[in-house]
Amino acid sequence: MTESEPERISHPEHDHNQCIRNAISVAEQLCLSRGVQLTPIRHKILELIWNSHKAVKAYDLLDQIRPVNDAAKPSTVYRALDFLLEQGLIHRVESLNAFVGCHCSGTQHDQLLLICTACHTVEERAAPDVLSALSTELSGAGFVPQRKTIEIHGLCKSCKPAATAASEKDDEH
Ligand SMILES: [Zn+2]
Ligand SMILES: [Zn+2]
Ligand SMILES: [Zn+2]
């Protein structure tokens, strides 16, 4: 399995075809090694989610899959999504009720998701320091988390300059 570089993920100039190829090949290998089926519909849904780094809603996936599979029903899409979540190939973005591909698939893991409110790109960060500080806080509270996902809404690197140019005169002068 190749190591992904989280820093690159939100750069619009990166080779996104490479992201898709990596994601699909990791998924195929994982499913093979776990003895689970990456059926055509699961494969297609994963591919559609990886179309970009933006979070995708289930009904958008349904709209996109109907032209190629007119028998697809909402339940078909939800079952495929459940499978991909279970296998750790995608993440649910709770605050948007949407899904995004995981570029470090293979194990279930906690994560920090940076969600851009302008372009809807979701950048996943492993953020070990943040998550370990959070673990300390939780154990101090005697709280046992089932999973830890931190979702932060704001502006990504690409959107920030345009959106804040008026208010951040110091940046360029
Ligand atoms: Zn990409
Ligand atoms: Zn992940
Ligand atoms: Zn953005």
Side-chain angles (χ1 to χ4, degrees), residues 56-120:
V56 198
K57 289 182 182 284
Y59 58 73
D60 289 329
L61 291 169
L62 186 62
D63 282 350
Q64 293 170 51
I65 206 154
R66 271 195 178 127
V68 287
N69 181 345
D70 53 6
K73 297 184 185 63
S75 59
T76 319
V77 172
Y78 282 110
R79 276 202 304 269
L81 288 169
D82 282 345
F83 171 85
L84 297 172
L85 283 167
E86 252 166 52
Q87 299 301 321
L89 298 170
I90 60 171
H91 291 301
R92 187 197 302 275
V93 184
E94 305 281 354
S95 57
L96 300 178
N97 191 20
F99 303 87
V100 70
C102 171
H103 59 81
C104 44
S105 311
T107 48
Q108 297 287 348
H109 52 267
D110 300 326
Q111 75 270 170
L112 170 65
L113 298 178
L114 305 182
I115 303 157
C116 180
T117 51
C119 70
H120 305 120

Side-chain angles (χ1 to χ4, degrees), residues 14 16 19 53:
H14 76 276
H16 188 62
C19 295
H53 292 285

Side-chain angles (χ1 to χ4, degrees), residues 125-139:
R125 316 271 310 184
D129 294 347
V130 176
L131 289 161
S132 104
L134 182 61
S135 291
T136 308
E137 182 66 29
L138 292 174
S139 59

Side-chain angles (χ1 to χ4, degrees), residues 5-6 8 10 21 24 30 36 44-45 47 56 61 66 78 82 84 86 90 94 100 107 122 127 131 142 155 158 171:
E5 299 165 57
R8 283 181 52 207
S10 69
R21 280 195 298 272
I24 298 294
L30 271 177
V36 293
K44 187 70 200 162
I45 295 280
E47 226 174 56
V56 198
L61 291 169
R66 271 195 178 127
Y78 282 110
D82 282 345
L84 297 172
E86 252 166 52
I90 60 171
E94 305 281 354
V100 70
T107 48
V122 178
L131 289 161
L155 292 175
S158 312
D171 270 12

